[in-house]
């Protein structure tokens, strides 16, 4: 049993590596992530330092202002990568929050079954119909805009899909013999969920995670763009795009660089997610 | 029976292949046969023998990764490679098809009326009351009770047997010359099978439609057909009259098939043929049946036997020919 | 069909209830309370708030009262726009938002279904790859990036179209906002349609339709389109939600006087009553549209209908 599961995963891995779009996307994404992690520390310019003598200068090689500066003279290269760090951090953190809730909820419902399952999934159905983006905005208005709240809030609304997927998978997995064997051996329900069911969900979860991260980055950027997310002097891609949009007539680079980074990142995540899905379900193509 | 007449459909060196992830899959390899007016010709073989793919290819119904070469002439007109618009005048009108699974072969989203009337509208220019009357008459011909009401229903409201009758009625709407029935009863219960076969036989006799009956069930062949082609691994391995094939099978595969029929008078387990058909991706040099054949000898692995004349038909086996 | 409809409509009630409840308690449980505004309120607004929320009453009583008001369709006075009720502000912005949203949705359906169907019919050919690459681009470029880029190109650099403003809904003014709202939806709908159309075209009943000698056009339009559209119909609920959140960006960036603009301004100015009112209004709209979509689905699929 375990052998065939890992066989499936290794076949999928092989197919994924043959998918050129996904491989290129992964390489670009890795480069962006590394830049976002290390470049701000390596650059001579702090992300929040204002050069009053160099307001809105175009991209240049001198002084290392590769992407130019913004309307108050801050280095745009460092700010773009700092913004990327925040956007990626929110994307990953919120996805992890949603993953924990979703996997826990779905695996529990699917494993226990019966009335508990019915009630738990009914709750998911009801919550599903609520347009949560508006509630998140409401939350930002009521509780103030801070980054921790943003990703907890987004994570708390994004778990519904995961719960559904995990429940379906759990239902089909729990009928398999190795789970029955564990039950017969007297292993507790919780241990079965943790040791047998969760590892088997890895494939689906991987697809879900790569497709959820860009959605979360999108929500965060959307909020920040509207001025309801990350606050100055910190920044994120959404906020930088908003600033850039205001200045685009005089300083189009302020719009173009953050927009490019955001779009390319979303692109890469979507390509990898699609590639993963095709790799795990070869019938689709 | 009607050997003197001109054949209505002549298939000549038909090849069907599919492009797959793992390479080219050859489903049909050099198929030849002729269908005469009014006769019922059975094509029998295990699943994967290429029976269905052959008729789908003749009517241009292969999936997009499929390719057909060779020739299939209906009343002298070449069907292989015929442009879609011309082919559409033939299929459904002159050559009609009944598929295996009545549960999935009718469109679940359209009323029976829509699905029947569109055939008449397209091929005969019939619409409105006249088309409805023809549809009702045809439903009654396949013994569907309350045909007027049935027209307004959706397929999912009927049983498999009823749906297959609707399929047959739909196929016969335009008085075709040829009816191709692809495993028409395989998906049905045994009692329903008998009813549907009887309807098929009656209609075919009363209207004189030439029928190509594809099946893996020798019992169906015995009850319905005049002549039989036995297919194995994309080729014909034996052909002949029903009597000849049942009483004196010339090819070991045919004989094995006959032995595998479950019979009430013979106790014991089913004699399914041991082993599997050859991989359609490969083409080893010898007889494709050799690995499963109980009469296999050295020549079988070396050389593929060609179809040669026998008592009442033809067979592709070294066994008897070897003595010559 | 009737029983099904009743069930769906009744099923929406708890969702609406949870939405209103969440909105209410989020506001009331905010640190310091939402109405301890940093700026002094006009006395009549303060009086209105006290009347609407009965701030001196215990929380459950306030909640019950608010719920009652919402059920009667009264969303209370605006916090910022004095002399205006939230209802009036919504009514004022609705024609603009509705016109944009409906235009975008209709266009997205027409273009998306057409592109997706064409791609499915020419699976893996050049048309298919072009449509799918364009769709991926449409999905990956967020509306708030697309909007300033389009303004930069078509308004600032080329000067062909205005950079913003409504002008009573003139075509020139509608064009860019509608494009921004439509493109991501076209992309999603095209992908959905392509996927389901490929699946449907492989089905036995499509082979039957072809075997009947029907022309390709009839096969696709009469036999394949309806089942292929079912996933698209299911997507309409999320699509409407996406349109509403997209309208926030579009109305803000193009300066259009719709509900979304009031909402964003309200959120930035901490106009609690307005934000809460719009959240409930939009939320209810999405929930009601979901029910309608569900009924349309049932109507399209005879197996659900009976």
């Amino acid at each position: 049993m375990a052998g065939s599961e890992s066989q499936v995963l290794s076949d999928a891995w092989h197919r994924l590596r043959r998918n050129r779009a996904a491989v290129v996307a992964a390489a670009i994404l890795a480069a962006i992530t590394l830049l976002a992690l290390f470049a701000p520390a390596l650059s001579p310019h702090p992300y929040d330092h204002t050069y009053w003598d160099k307001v809105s200068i175009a991209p240049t090689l001198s002084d290392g202002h590769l992407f130019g500066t913004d309307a108050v003279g801050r280095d745009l290269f460092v700010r773009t990568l700092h913004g990327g760090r925040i956007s990626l951090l929110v994307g990953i953190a919120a996805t992890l929050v949603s993953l924990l809730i979703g996997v826990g909820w779905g695996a529990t419902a699917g494993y226990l079954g019966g009335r508990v399952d019915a009630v738990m999934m009914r709750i998911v159905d009801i919550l599903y119909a609520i347009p949560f983006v508006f509630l998140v905005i409401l939350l930002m208005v009521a509780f103030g805009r801070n980054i921790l709240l943003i990703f907890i809030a987004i994570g708390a609304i994004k778990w519904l899909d995961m719960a559904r997927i995990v429940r379906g998978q759990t239902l089909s997995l729990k009928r398999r013999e190795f789970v029955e064997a564990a039950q017969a051996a007297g292993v507790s329900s919780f241990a079965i969920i943790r040791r047998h069911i969760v590892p088997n969900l890895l494939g689906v979860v991987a697809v879900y995670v790569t497709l959820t991260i860009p959605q979360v980055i999108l929500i965060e950027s959307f909020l920040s763009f509207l001025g309801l997310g990350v606050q100055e002097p910190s920044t994120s891609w959404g906020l930088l795009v908003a600033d850039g949009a205001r200045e685009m007539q005089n300083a189009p680079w302020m719009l173009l660089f953050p927009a490019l980074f955001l779009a390319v990142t979303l692109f890469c995540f979507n390509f990898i997610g699609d590639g993963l899905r095709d790799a795990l379900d070869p019938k689709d193509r | 029976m009607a050997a003197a007449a001109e054949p209505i459909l002549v298939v000549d060196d038909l090849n069907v292949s599919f492009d797959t992830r793992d390479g080219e899959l050859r489903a049909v390899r050099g198929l030849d046969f002729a269908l005469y007016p009014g006769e019922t010709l059975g094509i029998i073989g295990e699943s994967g023998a290429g029976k269905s793919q052959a008729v789908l290819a003749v009517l241009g119904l292969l999936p997009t990764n499929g390719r057909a070469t060779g020739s299939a002439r209906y009343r002298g007109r070449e069907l292989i490679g015929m442009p879609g618009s011309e082919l559409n005048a033939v299929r459904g009108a002159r050559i009609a098809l009944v598929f295996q699974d009545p549960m999935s072969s009718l469109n679940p989203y359209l009323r029976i009326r829509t699905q029947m009337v569109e055939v008449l509208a397209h091929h005969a220019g019939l619409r409105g009351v006249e088309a409805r009357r023809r549809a009702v008459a045809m439903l009654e011909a396949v013994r569907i009770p309350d045909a007027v009401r049935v027209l307004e229903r959706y397929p999912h409201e009927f049983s498999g047997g009823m749906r297959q009758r609707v399929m047959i009625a739909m196929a016969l709407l335009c008085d075709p010359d040829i009816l191709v029935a692809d495993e028409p009863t395989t998906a049905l219960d045994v009692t329903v099978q008998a009813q549907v076969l009887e309807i098929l036989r009656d209609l075919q006799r009363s209207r004189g439609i030439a029928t190509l009956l594809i099946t893996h069930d020798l019992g169906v062949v015995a009850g319905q057909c005049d002549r039989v082609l036995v297919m194995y691994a994309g080729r014909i391995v034996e052909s002949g009259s029903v009597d000849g094939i049942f009483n004196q099978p010339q090819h070991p595969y045919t004989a094995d098939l006959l032995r595998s029929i479950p019979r009430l008078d013979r106790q014991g387990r089913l004699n399914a043929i041991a082993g599997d058909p050859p991989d359609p991706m490969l083409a080893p040099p010898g007889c494709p049946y050799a690995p499963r054949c109980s009469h296999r000898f050295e020549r079988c692995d070396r050389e593929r036997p060609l179809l040669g004349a026998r008592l009442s038909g033809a067979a592709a086996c070294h066994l008897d020919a070897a003595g010559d | 069909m009737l029983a099904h409809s009743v069930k769906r409509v009744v099923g929406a009630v708890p969702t609406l209830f949870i939405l209103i409840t969440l909105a209410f308690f989020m506001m009331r449980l905010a640190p310091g309370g939402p109405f301890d505004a940093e700026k002094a309120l006009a006395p009549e607004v303060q009086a209105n708030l006290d009347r609407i929320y009965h701030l001196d009453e215990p929380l459950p009583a306030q909640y019950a009262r608010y719920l009652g008001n919402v059920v009667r369709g009264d969303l209370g006075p605006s916090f910022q726009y004095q002399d205006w009720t939230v209802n009036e502000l919504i009514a004022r912005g609705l024609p603009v938002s509705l016109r944009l949203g409906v235009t975008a949705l209709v266009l997205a359906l027409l273009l998306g279904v057409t592109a997706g169907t064409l791609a499915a019919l020419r699976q893996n050919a050049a048309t298919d790859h072009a449509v799918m690459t364009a769709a991926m681009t449409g999905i990956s470029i967020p509306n708030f990036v697309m909007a300033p880029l389009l303004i930069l190109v078509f308004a600032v650099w080329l000067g062909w179209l205005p950079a913003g403003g409504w002008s009573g809904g003139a075509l020139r003014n509608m064009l860019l906002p509608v494009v921004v709202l439509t493109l991501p939806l076209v992309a999603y709908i095209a992908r959905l349609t392509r996927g389901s159309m490929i699946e449907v075209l492989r089905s036995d009943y499509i082979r039957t339709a072809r075997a009947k000698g029907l022309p390709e056009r009839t096969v696709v339009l009469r036999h394949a389109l309806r089942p292929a559209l079912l996933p698209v119909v299911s997507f309409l609920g999320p699509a409407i939600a996406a349109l509403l959140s997209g309208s926030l960006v579009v109305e803000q960036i193009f300066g259009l006087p719709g509900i979304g603009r009031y909402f964003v301004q309200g959120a930035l100015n901490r106009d609690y009553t307005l934000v809460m009112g719009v959240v409930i209004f939009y939320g209810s709209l999405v929930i009601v549209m979901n029910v309608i979509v569900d009924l349309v689905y049932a109507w399209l699929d005879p197996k659900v209908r009976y």
Side-chain angles (χ1 to χ4, degrees):
Chain A
M1 196 75 233
S4 79
E5 294 289 341
S6 64
Q7 184 60 38
V8 170
L9 288 182
S10 86
D11 282 357
W13 175 240
H14 200 74
R15 275 193 294 271
L16 185 65
R17 285 180 45 180
R18 275 198 317 212
N19 181 338
R20 198 170 301 158
V23 171
V24 172
I28 295 175
L29 198 58
I32 290 177
T33 310
L34 287 176
L35 268 178
L37 280 179
F38 297 114
L42 299 178
S43 166
H45 310 292
Y47 76 91
D48 55 355
H49 187 271
T50 297
Y51 298 91
W52 290 114
D53 52 333
K54 290 190 278 195
V55 169
S56 294
I57 61 163
T60 167
L61 284 175
S62 70
D63 303 337
H65 292 303
L66 290 177
F67 293 178
T69 60
D70 71 7
V72 290
R74 292 175 297 194
D75 180 67
L76 194 61
F77 178 69
V78 170
R79 284 188 73 71
T80 301
L81 295 174
H82 175 79
R85 198 193 268 187
I86 302 287
S87 289
L88 286 168
L89 176 75
V90 171
I92 292 166
T95 301
L96 286 180
V97 171
S98 79
L99 194 62
L100 281 177
I101 306 177
V103 170
W105 192 277
T108 310
Y111 186 74
L112 296 178
R115 192 173 295 170
V116 179
D117 175 37
V119 170
M120 287 176 86
M121 293 327 283
R122 181 76 193 119
I123 291 173
V124 170
D125 286 343
I126 290 174
L127 293 180
Y128 215 82
I130 295 178
F132 275 103
V133 173
F134 296 108
L135 280 182
V136 172
I137 293 178
L138 193 60
L139 198 69
M140 293 298 129
V141 173
F143 288 80
R145 299 140 203 180
N146 82 67
I147 193 171
L148 194 73
L149 196 59
I150 292 177
F151 70 66
I152 292 178
I154 298 176
I157 62 179
K158 274 278 152 203
W159 62 274
L160 298 168
D161 285 307
M162 189 77 247
R164 281 186 172 172
I165 297 166
V166 170
R167 171 182 171 267
Q169 294 285 317
T170 308
L171 277 179
S172 66
L173 278 170
K174 95 172 179 191
R175 291 193 195 99
R176 295 211 200 149
E177 61 268 46
F178 66 98
V179 175
E180 280 164 21
Q183 268 171 335
V187 183
S188 77
S189 293
F190 178 73
I192 293 175
I193 291 176
R194 190 170 49 83
R195 222 174 300 152
H196 298 279
I197 293 183
V198 173
N200 274 294
L201 290 170
L202 279 179
V204 200
V205 169
V207 174
Y208 166 81
V209 166
T210 41
L211 290 175
T212 301
I213 293 176
Q215 290 175 25
V216 175
I217 291 178
L218 202 58
I219 298 177
E220 179 276 318
S221 310
F222 166 76
L223 291 173
S224 297
F225 177 85
L226 293 178
L228 298 167
V230 174
Q231 297 294 303
E232 293 276 355
S234 185
T235 194
S236 85
W237 283 332
L239 193 53
L240 287 168
V241 169
D243 289 344
R246 259 191 298 280
E247 301 292 328
M248 66 184 158
Q249 216 146 352
N250 323 315
W253 60 88
M254 279 184 61
L255 172 63
L256 294 177
F257 285 113
L260 186 71
F261 270 75
L262 176 56
V264 167
T265 302
L266 296 175
F267 232 118
C268 291
F269 272 115
N270 284 333
F271 263 119
I272 298 170
D274 271 14
L276 265 178
R277 191 168 39 197
D278 290 347
L280 285 164
D281 182 16
K283 271 178 304 185
D284 216 38
R285 279 265 141 184
Chain B
M1 58 176 274
E6 278 286 297
I8 192 166
L9 178 72
V10 180
V11 171
D12 196 1
D13 193 25
L14 181 70
N15 289 281
V16 179
S17 60
F18 295 92
D19 293 325
T20 70
R21 203 179 257 278
D22 309 305
E24 189 190 38
L25 184 156
R26 294 190 59 199
V28 178
R29 307 171 186 228
L31 183 69
D32 304 314
F33 71 86
L35 179 70
Y36 292 89
E39 75 163 340
T40 297
L41 176 63
I43 302 184
I44 190 156
E46 290 165 293
S47 58
K51 310 165 299 223
S52 302
Q53 304 312 331
V55 295
L56 290 179
V58 168
L59 289 175
L61 293 173
L62 290 174
T64 42
N65 66 336
R67 203 158 43 84
T69 58
S71 161
R73 285 183 305 280
Y74 161 73
R75 293 187 187 278
R77 293 165 64 197
E78 182 58 60
L79 297 176
I80 305 292
M82 184 186 263
S85 54
E86 244 177 282
L87 202 55
N88 278 339
V90 176
R91 46 184 192 198
R94 307 321 322 144
I95 306 179
L97 263 143
V98 172
F99 291 106
Q100 171 172 354
D101 190 355
M103 305 311 265
S104 60
S105 294
L106 287 167
N107 190 326
Y109 301 95
L110 297 175
R111 291 176 202 279
I112 306 285
R113 169 171 49 80
T114 315
Q115 303 190 48
M116 292 189 78
V117 165
E118 68 180 354
V119 178
L120 292 165
H122 178 62
H123 291 297
L126 283 182
R127 277 162 222 284
V129 184
E130 180 59 19
R132 280 176 60 100
R133 228 185 46 223
R134 280 275 282 276
V136 168
M138 195 49 79
L139 287 177
E140 281 165 352
V142 295
R143 300 176 210 162
I144 286 180
D146 210 2
V148 178
R149 291 226 342 251
V150 164
L151 272 187
E152 300 306 320
R153 300 286 190 81
Y154 289 91
H156 69 94
E157 299 174 67
F158 299 100
S159 67
M162 281 288 275
R163 290 193 217 182
Q164 197 60 303
R165 290 189 215 185
V166 171
M167 280 294 290
I168 294 170
M170 211 156 78
L172 299 181
L173 274 173
C174 295
D175 283 320
D177 300 327
I178 302 174
L179 176 68
V180 179
D182 185 359
E183 306 262 11
T185 57
T186 308
L188 305 178
D189 291 342
V190 181
T191 47
V192 181
Q193 277 188 12
Q195 291 168 4
V196 169
L197 286 173
E198 192 193 322
I199 290 168
L200 213 51
R201 193 166 50 230
D202 289 354
L203 283 171
Q204 187 256 328
R205 295 222 170 115
S206 62
R207 291 164 190 246
I209 307 168
T211 304
L212 204 53
L213 181 66
I214 297 165
T215 179
H216 66 274
D217 185 342
L218 279 165
V220 171
V221 168
Q224 306 283 121
C225 299
D226 305 307
R227 286 192 304 133
V228 190
L229 307 173
V230 183
M231 272 186 87
Y232 188 78
R235 289 193 169 90
I236 293 176
V237 292
E238 178 163 4
S239 69
S241 69
V242 170
D243 280 352
I245 287 212
F246 271 80
N247 296 325
Q248 280 179 295
Q250 298 296 303
H251 195 283
Y253 176 58
T254 315
D256 290 344
L257 272 183
L258 285 168
R259 262 196 296 281
S260 73
I261 304 178
R263 278 176 23 186
L264 292 175
D265 59 336
R266 214 192 302 149
Q267 289 295 318
R269 56 189 192 83
L270 215 85
N271 293 306
I273 305 174
D276 295 308
D279 185 345
M281 303 297 227
L282 307 173
C287 169
Y289 192 60
R292 302 167 80 185
C293 184
S294 51
H295 304 279
R296 168 189 189 175
F297 57 104
E298 174 265 341
R299 190 178 167 195
C300 301
D301 293 326
R302 194 159 36 78
E303 184 187 332
R304 185 171 62 79
L306 301 174
L307 206 59
R310 295 294 165 87
L311 291 174
S312 69
C317 182
H318 292 309
L319 205 56
D320 269 357
D324 295 349
Chain C
M1 182 70 183
L2 188 69
H4 180 78
S5 313
V6 171
K7 210 175 126 198
R8 300 313 305 182
V9 172
V10 171
V13 172
T15 313
L16 276 166
F17 174 76
I18 289 177
L19 172 76
I20 296 167
T21 307
L22 280 175
F24 179 83
F25 283 101
M26 239 178 232
M27 279 294 151
R28 294 300 292 127
L29 297 179
F35 305 113
D36 304 341
E38 45 263 52
K39 63 165 199 159
L41 288 170
E44 57 271 35
V45 174
Q46 188 65 56
N48 268 337
L49 283 173
D50 288 348
R51 182 171 55 77
I52 297 289
Y53 295 98
H54 294 260
L55 298 176
D56 49 341
E57 288 179 18
L59 206 56
Q62 293 179 33
Y63 170 61
R65 206 176 289 275
Y66 183 71
L67 206 58
N69 283 341
V70 170
V71 167
R72 268 181 275 120
D74 179 7
L75 296 168
S78 164
F79 216 65
Q80 291 288 326
Y81 299 85
Q82 294 173 14
D83 307 332
W84 290 86
T85 65
V86 174
N87 289 29
E88 285 166 343
L89 285 171
I90 289 177
R92 211 162 105 109
L94 190 61
V96 173
S97 300
L98 203 63
R99 185 151 169 195
L100 278 175
V102 170
T103 312
L105 189 62
V106 170
L107 268 179
L109 279 172
L110 286 177
L111 296 175
V113 169
T114 310
T117 304
L118 289 179
L121 290 175
R122 292 167 177 71
Q123 199 187 343
N124 292 329
T127 318
D128 183 21
H129 290 306
V131 169
M132 284 306 107
T133 308
M136 190 57 123
T137 314
I139 287 170
S140 294
I141 298 184
N143 46 24
F144 56 85
V145 171
M146 182 104 65
L149 287 179
L150 289 179
I151 294 175
L152 187 62
V153 174
F154 292 99
V156 178
W157 287 347
L158 296 174
W160 292 351
L161 293 164
W166 181 240
S167 310
L171 186 65
R172 278 162 51 81
N173 293 72
M174 289 256 299
L175 200 58
L176 288 181
V178 165
V179 167
V180 171
L181 282 177
T182 306
L183 279 185
L185 287 186
V186 174
Y188 266 107
I189 292 173
R191 274 166 65 113
L192 273 176
T193 309
R194 174 183 180 270
S196 63
M197 185 60 95
I198 286 174
E199 192 94 13
V200 169
L201 286 175
R202 281 194 203 126
S203 65
D204 285 356
Y205 59 85
I206 294 303
R207 191 178 59 182
T208 307
R210 294 214 164 103
K212 292 198 297 196
L214 301 174
E216 189 65 16
R217 225 168 55 95
T218 312
V219 171
V220 172
L221 294 182
R222 187 182 297 160
H223 286 266
L225 194 59
R226 192 201 289 219
L229 279 183
L230 290 176
V232 177
V233 172
S234 302
F235 174 66
L236 282 181
I240 288 161
L243 266 180
L244 290 179
S245 60
S247 74
L248 305 187
V249 165
V250 164
E251 290 176 13
Q252 176 77 359
I253 207 167
F254 289 97
L256 309 177
I259 298 175
R261 182 125 185 269
Y262 289 126
F263 181 65
V264 173
Q265 295 305 322
L268 291 171
N269 295 326
R270 302 171 76 87
D271 186 340
Y272 295 105
T273 46
L274 178 58
V275 170
M276 211 162 141
V278 173
V279 166
I280 290 172
F281 175 71
Y282 272 1
S284 313
L285 194 65
V286 170
I287 292 166
V288 169
M289 289 310 291
N290 269 325
V291 172
I292 293 174
V293 162
D294 235 50
L295 297 180
V296 170
Y297 191 102
W299 174 71
L300 279 174
D301 187 347
K303 274 175 281 184
V304 181
R305 206 186 307 175
Y306 292 97

